[in-house]
Amino acid sequence: MKKLPILLLLFFVALSAGAQKTDKRLTAILAPLLAAFHGQAGIYVHHLKTDRIVAINADTTFPTASMIKTAIQVGIFNKLAKGELQYHQHLVYRDSLLYKGEDILGSFRDSEQIALDKAVMLMLTMSDNTASLWLQSLAGGGLVINQWLQEHGFEHLRVNSRTKGREANRQEYGWGQTSPREMARLLEMIYKGEVISPAASERMYRNLTRNYWDGEGVLQVPTNVRTASKNGAVDESRSEVIMVNAPHGDYVYCIITKNNKDQGWNHDNEAWQLLRKVGFTLWQYYEPASQWKPDPALGQF
């Protein structure tokens, strides 16, 4: 009997997906861009107003890299809803939490304090790994986060690192794994107020509008258009999920690559070029009357 609500949820998710219509014209525009990529790429796009989608390798499993932090935030707000954490409570940082790298939290001294909401900000805005792993633990760990995802109809989206029973997945995909469709769906659910509660979803969405790492898709829309996003990057994979609150209808998309031939970290990395091309292509497609174009000089900053 306990499995019935989950099965019903999966049924309605499938029913909803079946009702959506493929945007064949946009698919024909995007498909050659992904096909030319030296590696494997997948994308899922959903225009909320028309309910039309593009799905190219949209149900293939890819690494999330830092996009998994979107799910970790959900885990934190799940704990907040249960009263097990307080959003503005003060936490005590310990040296044992350090994840070596260029993190802000990692520069703290042992026993310094930081508020939980600021740690969340560091995780999402700066993609601070030390803060993220700490928050994953505070959320109950990967098993608890994955349980929430499973209960809400996610089959591919999972936390792998530091999660019992998922070492083989971690070796293949890294910190987390997802399909483009499911990562986009999670962001869309947050935007619609469907995750934890409307108030929690609104706070989570606002947190996701403050991305420091905005060099790809976010730069492909005008500055006066709000976006919420999270991206990921490791040598062999680059990715991002973005909701664009566009004038003629919101659209959400997730594009992910893996097995990248070009694993460089310069601005002209092939995968990052693909992300930028796709971002601007979508903007032009959904806002054809717009005369705006990104300034090429932005790449230097």
Side-chain angles (χ1 to χ4, degrees):
M1 294 296 290
K2 291 183 178 179
K3 294 184 178 180
L4 184 58
I6 299 174
L7 293 174
L8 283 174
L9 179 60
L10 289 171
F11 171 76
F12 286 120
V13 168
L15 189 65
S16 176
Q20 295 173 330
K21 294 183 179 180
T22 298
D23 189 326
K24 294 181 180 179
R25 185 162 72 94
L26 182 56
T27 299
I29 295 171
L30 293 175
L33 298 179
L34 272 65
F37 177 70
H38 294 89
Q40 186 175 6
I43 189 170
Y44 177 82
V45 187
H46 182 207
H47 191 266
L48 278 63
K49 186 175 182 180
T50 63
D51 200 26
R52 290 186 176 270
I53 67 168
V54 173
I56 303 172
N57 295 326
D59 298 308
T60 299
T61 304
F62 289 86
T64 61
S66 287
M67 286 196 303
I68 197 62
K69 296 165 187 177
T70 306
I72 293 174
Q73 179 182 216
V74 173
I76 289 293
F77 275 82
N78 189 36
K79 286 287 186 178
L80 294 170
K82 295 177 179 179
E84 297 174 18
L85 292 172
Q86 300 297 319
Y87 195 50
H88 301 292
Q89 75 180 75
H90 281 81
L91 307 171
V92 179
Y93 173 76
R94 309 302 308 196
D95 284 345
S96 59
L97 297 166
L98 175 65
Y99 184 89
K100 292 185 178 180
E102 297 182 6
D103 287 344
I104 292 176
L105 189 59
S107 67
F108 276 36
R109 295 179 180 178
D110 187 75
S111 300
E112 284 194 77
Q113 293 191 8
I114 183 171
L116 175 63
D117 61 325
K118 292 182 179 178
V120 172
M121 179 274 293
L122 288 175
M123 174 176 71
L124 297 174
T125 301
M126 301 301 299
S127 211
D128 190 297
N129 287 327
T130 298
S132 302
L133 287 167
W134 191 8
L135 290 167
Q136 178 177 316
S137 177
L138 290 171
L143 287 176
V144 173
I145 297 171
N146 289 344
Q147 181 180 358
W148 186 95
L149 292 168
Q150 182 177 355
E151 289 173 351
H152 290 81
F154 293 89
E155 297 180 359
H156 301 277
L157 179 52
R158 294 290 186 271
V159 178
N160 293 330
S161 292
R162 304 188 181 187
T163 303
K164 185 178 179 180
R166 298 198 64 83
E167 178 57 22
N169 299 82
R170 187 198 66 79
Q171 290 183 14
E172 182 174 2
Y173 297 107
W175 195 337
Q177 63 186 64
T178 191
S179 64
R181 189 192 304 268
E182 288 196 352
M183 184 58 72
R185 178 181 161 236
L186 180 61
L187 182 53
E188 183 177 332
M189 287 175 63
I190 292 171
Y191 177 57
K192 290 180 174 179
E194 298 171 351
V195 177
I196 310 300
S197 69
S201 291
E202 180 178 335
R203 180 69 270 165
M204 284 188 278
Y205 190 76
R206 290 182 183 276
N207 289 345
L208 288 162
T209 65
R210 301 167 176 173
N211 194 350
Y212 171 82
W213 302 100
D214 61 358
E216 276 63 59
V218 174
L219 282 188
Q220 307 310 307
V221 300
T223 55
N224 64 336
V225 174
R226 186 174 72 163
T227 60
S229 65
K230 192 73 194 82
N231 39 12
V234 291
D235 288 345
E236 68 280 2
S237 174
R238 311 295 158 93
S239 58
E240 59 187 354
V241 58
I242 303 180
M243 172 74 77
V244 180
N245 300 134
H248 294 92
D250 303 319
Y251 60 93
V252 62
Y253 72 97
C254 178
I255 179 168
I256 316 178
T257 70
K258 65 179 179 179
N259 304 321
N260 298 7
K261 181 177 179 181
D262 181 357
Q263 300 190 3
W265 290 88
N266 56 303
H267 180 70
D268 292 329
N269 171 274
E270 184 190 20
W272 280 335
Q273 289 189 60
L274 174 63
L275 268 54
R276 291 193 290 271
K277 288 177 184 176
V278 166
F280 188 55
T281 297
L282 291 174
W283 173 257
Q284 286 185 309
Y285 185 81
Y286 291 127
E287 299 294 332
S290 173
Q291 300 298 310
W292 179 88
K293 291 184 178 180
D295 187 336
L298 283 173
Q300 66 183 288
F301 299 110

